[in-house]
Amino acid sequence: PFLEEFHKKHPKIKISVTNSSTPVTVAALREGKIDLGVVGSPVEHYKDLSVREAAEIRDIFIAGDEFGALRGKTLSLKELADYPIVCLGRETSTRRYLDEFFYSHGAVLEPDFEVATSDLVAPFVERNMGIGIVVRFFAEESIRAGRTFEVRTKHSIPARSICIVSGSRGQISRAAQEFLNTLK
Protein backbone atom coordinates (compact mmCIF):
# COMPACT_ATOMS: atom_id res chain seq x y z
CA PRO A 1 0.00 0.00 0.00
CA PHE A 2 2.90 2.42 0.65
CA LEU A 3 4.36 1.82 -2.80
CA GLU A 4 0.92 2.27 -4.32
CA GLU A 5 0.45 5.60 -2.53
CA PHE A 6 3.95 6.75 -3.49
CA HIS A 7 3.41 5.76 -7.13
CA LYS A 8 0.13 7.71 -7.30
CA LYS A 9 1.89 10.84 -5.99
CA HIS A 10 5.00 10.35 -8.17
CA PRO A 11 4.00 8.34 -11.28
CA LYS A 12 7.13 9.31 -13.26
CA ILE A 13 9.61 7.89 -10.73
CA LYS A 14 10.89 4.46 -11.77
CA ILE A 15 10.99 1.84 -9.01
CA SER A 16 12.91 -1.42 -9.06
CA VAL A 17 11.93 -4.04 -6.46
CA THR A 18 14.20 -7.02 -5.81
CA ASN A 19 14.13 -9.85 -3.31
CA SER A 20 17.35 -10.70 -1.43
CA SER A 21 18.56 -11.78 1.99
CA THR A 22 19.34 -9.13 4.62
CA PRO A 23 23.13 -9.40 4.19
CA VAL A 24 22.83 -9.02 0.39
CA THR A 25 20.42 -6.10 0.83
CA VAL A 26 22.73 -4.31 3.28
CA ALA A 27 25.73 -4.87 0.99
CA ALA A 28 23.81 -3.43 -2.00
CA LEU A 29 22.82 -0.44 0.12
CA ARG A 30 26.41 0.21 1.17
CA GLU A 31 27.62 -0.14 -2.43
CA GLY A 32 25.07 2.45 -3.55
CA LYS A 33 23.22 -0.06 -5.74
CA ILE A 34 19.92 0.56 -3.92
CA ASP A 35 18.43 3.51 -2.04
CA LEU A 36 16.79 1.55 0.75
CA GLY A 37 16.00 -1.96 1.90
CA VAL A 38 13.17 -3.67 3.71
CA VAL A 39 14.55 -6.40 6.00
CA GLY A 40 13.48 -8.50 8.95
CA SER A 41 14.99 -8.03 12.38
CA PRO A 42 17.14 -8.66 14.18
CA VAL A 43 19.18 -6.12 12.29
CA GLU A 44 22.59 -5.07 13.44
CA HIS A 45 22.54 -1.32 13.92
CA TYR A 46 25.32 -0.27 11.62
CA LYS A 47 26.87 3.13 12.35
CA ASP A 48 26.65 4.15 8.70
CA LEU A 49 23.01 3.13 8.16
CA SER A 50 19.64 4.28 9.40
CA VAL A 51 17.35 1.50 10.66
CA ARG A 52 13.72 2.12 11.54
CA GLU A 53 11.14 -0.43 12.58
CA ALA A 54 8.04 -0.41 10.38
CA ALA A 55 5.84 -3.32 11.53
CA GLU A 56 5.77 -6.38 13.76
CA ILE A 57 6.05 -9.85 12.20
CA ARG A 58 5.68 -13.38 13.57
CA ASP A 59 7.33 -16.56 12.38
CA ILE A 60 5.18 -19.70 12.47
CA PHE A 61 5.48 -23.39 11.66
CA ILE A 62 3.34 -24.77 8.81
CA ALA A 63 2.76 -28.23 7.37
CA GLY A 64 0.99 -29.87 4.45
CA ASP A 65 -1.52 -32.73 4.26
CA GLU A 66 1.03 -35.53 4.73
CA PHE A 67 1.70 -34.16 8.20
CA GLY A 68 -2.02 -34.08 9.07
CA ALA A 69 -1.43 -36.22 12.20
CA LEU A 70 0.16 -33.09 13.75
CA ARG A 71 -3.11 -31.10 13.58
CA GLY A 72 -4.21 -30.21 17.09
CA LYS A 73 -0.99 -31.45 18.69
CA THR A 74 1.57 -29.28 20.46
CA LEU A 75 5.19 -30.25 19.81
CA SER A 76 8.40 -29.41 21.61
CA LEU A 77 11.11 -27.94 19.42
CA LYS A 78 13.12 -31.16 19.83
CA GLU A 79 10.14 -33.16 18.51
CA LEU A 80 9.68 -30.72 15.65
CA ALA A 81 13.36 -30.95 14.74
CA ASP A 82 12.91 -34.70 14.09
CA TYR A 83 10.71 -33.86 11.08
CA PRO A 84 12.02 -32.64 7.74
CA ILE A 85 12.28 -28.84 7.93
CA VAL A 86 12.04 -26.14 5.23
CA CYS A 87 13.44 -22.71 6.10
CA LEU A 88 15.73 -19.93 4.98
CA GLY A 89 19.42 -20.60 4.35
CA ARG A 90 22.26 -20.00 6.78
CA GLU A 91 23.35 -16.80 5.05
CA THR A 92 20.20 -14.96 6.21
CA SER A 93 19.75 -13.01 9.44
CA THR A 94 16.39 -14.76 9.96
CA ARG A 95 18.07 -18.15 9.90
CA ARG A 96 20.67 -17.07 12.46
CA TYR A 97 17.77 -15.87 14.62
CA LEU A 98 15.99 -19.23 14.26
CA ASP A 99 19.18 -21.19 15.01
CA GLU A 100 19.58 -19.21 18.25
CA PHE A 101 15.90 -19.70 19.14
CA PHE A 102 16.12 -23.49 18.73
CA TYR A 103 19.44 -23.62 20.61
CA SER A 104 18.00 -21.61 23.53
CA HIS A 105 15.38 -24.36 23.92
CA GLY A 106 17.83 -27.27 23.72
CA ALA A 107 17.14 -28.15 20.09
CA VAL A 108 19.17 -27.98 16.89
CA LEU A 109 17.71 -26.68 13.64
CA GLU A 110 18.98 -28.85 10.77
CA PRO A 111 16.71 -28.22 7.78
CA ASP A 112 16.33 -30.64 4.90
CA PHE A 113 15.59 -27.78 2.50
CA GLU A 114 17.12 -24.32 2.71
CA VAL A 115 15.53 -21.71 0.46
CA ALA A 116 16.78 -18.26 -0.52
CA THR A 117 13.65 -16.24 0.21
CA SER A 118 10.60 -16.50 2.48
CA ASP A 119 8.12 -16.67 -0.38
CA LEU A 120 9.52 -20.10 -1.34
CA VAL A 121 8.76 -21.82 1.99
CA ALA A 122 4.97 -22.31 1.57
CA PRO A 123 5.23 -23.86 -1.93
CA PHE A 124 7.74 -26.43 -0.60
CA VAL A 125 5.45 -27.19 2.34
CA GLU A 126 2.38 -27.47 0.08
CA ARG A 127 4.26 -30.23 -1.74
CA ASN A 128 4.89 -31.97 1.60
CA MET A 129 8.66 -31.50 1.49
CA GLY A 130 8.67 -30.76 5.23
CA ILE A 131 7.46 -28.49 8.00
CA GLY A 132 8.11 -24.88 7.13
CA ILE A 133 9.25 -22.01 9.30
CA VAL A 134 8.03 -18.77 7.79
CA VAL A 135 6.68 -15.31 8.57
CA ARG A 136 2.89 -15.65 8.94
CA PHE A 137 2.28 -13.16 6.11
CA PHE A 138 3.92 -15.52 3.60
CA ALA A 139 1.73 -18.45 4.73
CA GLU A 140 -1.68 -16.79 5.15
CA GLU A 141 -2.94 -17.47 1.61
CA SER A 142 -1.80 -21.10 1.77
CA ILE A 143 -3.42 -21.63 5.18
CA ARG A 144 -6.63 -19.86 4.13
CA ALA A 145 -6.85 -22.05 1.00
CA GLY A 146 -6.37 -25.20 3.11
CA ARG A 147 -3.12 -26.20 1.41
CA THR A 148 -1.22 -25.93 4.71
CA PHE A 149 -2.00 -25.61 8.41
CA GLU A 150 -0.22 -24.10 11.37
CA VAL A 151 1.72 -26.49 13.63
CA ARG A 152 1.62 -25.56 17.31
CA THR A 153 4.75 -25.71 19.45
CA LYS A 154 5.33 -25.37 23.19
CA HIS A 155 7.55 -22.35 22.55
CA SER A 156 6.43 -19.73 20.06
CA ILE A 157 9.04 -17.82 18.12
CA PRO A 158 9.15 -14.28 19.56
CA ALA A 159 7.84 -11.45 17.40
CA ARG A 160 10.32 -9.52 15.27
CA SER A 161 10.09 -6.39 13.16
CA ILE A 162 10.18 -5.42 9.53
CA CYS A 163 12.76 -2.63 9.26
CA ILE A 164 13.51 0.00 6.66
CA VAL A 165 17.27 0.36 6.21
CA SER A 166 18.75 3.35 4.41
CA GLY A 167 21.79 5.58 4.33
CA SER A 168 21.81 8.87 6.19
CA ARG A 169 19.76 11.76 4.75
CA GLY A 170 22.66 13.01 2.64
CA GLN A 171 23.33 9.56 1.19
CA ILE A 172 19.94 8.73 -0.34
CA SER A 173 18.17 10.11 -3.37
CA ARG A 174 15.39 12.68 -3.08
CA ALA A 175 12.95 10.06 -4.40
CA ALA A 176 13.96 7.57 -1.69
CA GLN A 177 13.68 10.29 0.97
CA GLU A 178 10.19 11.11 -0.31
CA PHE A 179 9.24 7.42 -0.10
CA LEU A 180 10.52 7.33 3.51
CA ASN A 181 8.33 10.36 4.24
CA THR A 182 5.37 8.39 2.82
CA LEU A 183 6.05 5.66 5.40
CA LYS A 184 5.67 8.12 8.26
Side-chain angles (χ1 to χ4, degrees):
F2 296 109
L3 276 174
E4 181 180 15
E5 180 184 338
F6 179 79
H7 182 66
K8 284 179 182 176
K9 287 181 182 177
H10 308 281
K12 295 195 184 282
I13 293 177
K14 305 276 188 233
I15 299 171
S16 176
V17 178
T18 60
N19 193 354
S20 301
S21 67
T22 296
V24 170
T25 299
V26 169
L29 186 60
R30 282 193 168 135
E31 294 168 12
K33 293 179 179 177
I34 61 173
D35 287 315
L36 55 89
V38 179
V39 299
S41 70
V43 175
E44 297 174 30
H45 292 276
Y46 303 104
K47 293 177 184 174
D48 59 328
L49 301 177
S50 170
V51 179
R52 66 171 90 149
E53 292 183 3
E56 183 178 281
I57 56 174
R58 283 213 168 266
D59 297 279
I60 61 171
F61 301 96
I62 60 171
D65 291 339
E66 285 188 25
F67 299 92
L70 300 178
R71 285 183 193 269
K73 292 187 176 182
T74 301
L75 301 176
S76 72
L77 293 176
K78 282 185 177 181
E79 291 171 319
L80 186 83
D82 286 338
Y83 288 91
I85 301 288
V86 179
C87 71
L88 291 174
R90 289 191 191 281
E91 70 285 351
T92 65
S93 59
T94 296
R95 174 58 187 284
R96 286 191 294 274
Y97 180 72
L98 293 172
D99 285 340
E100 290 172 15
F101 172 71
F102 270 72
Y103 182 77
S104 73
H105 293 285
V108 177
L109 178 58
E110 296 182 282
D112 294 71
F113 293 96
E114 295 183 4
V115 296
T117 58
S118 296
D119 58 327
L120 294 174
V121 175
F124 271 70
V125 172
E126 289 174 8
R127 288 163 182 79
N128 295 297
M129 306 298 278
I131 296 173
I133 309 172
V134 67
V135 173
R136 178 181 299 280
F137 170 82
F138 289 103
E140 285 177 342
E141 158 65 24
S142 182
I143 292 170
R144 193 173 24 258
R147 296 186 303 267
T148 62
F149 63 94
E150 188 170 348
V151 176
R152 291 191 312 227
T153 56
K154 291 179 183 173
H155 301 285
S156 297
I157 302 170
R160 301 182 296 133
S161 296
I162 289 290
C163 300
I164 308 298
V165 183
S166 63
S168 65
R169 260 187 200 276
Q171 295 176 320
I172 63 174
S173 69
R174 285 187 61 219
Q177 186 60 52
E178 188 62 32
F179 179 70
L180 290 174
N181 294 339
T182 301
L183 296 175
K184 294 177 182 175

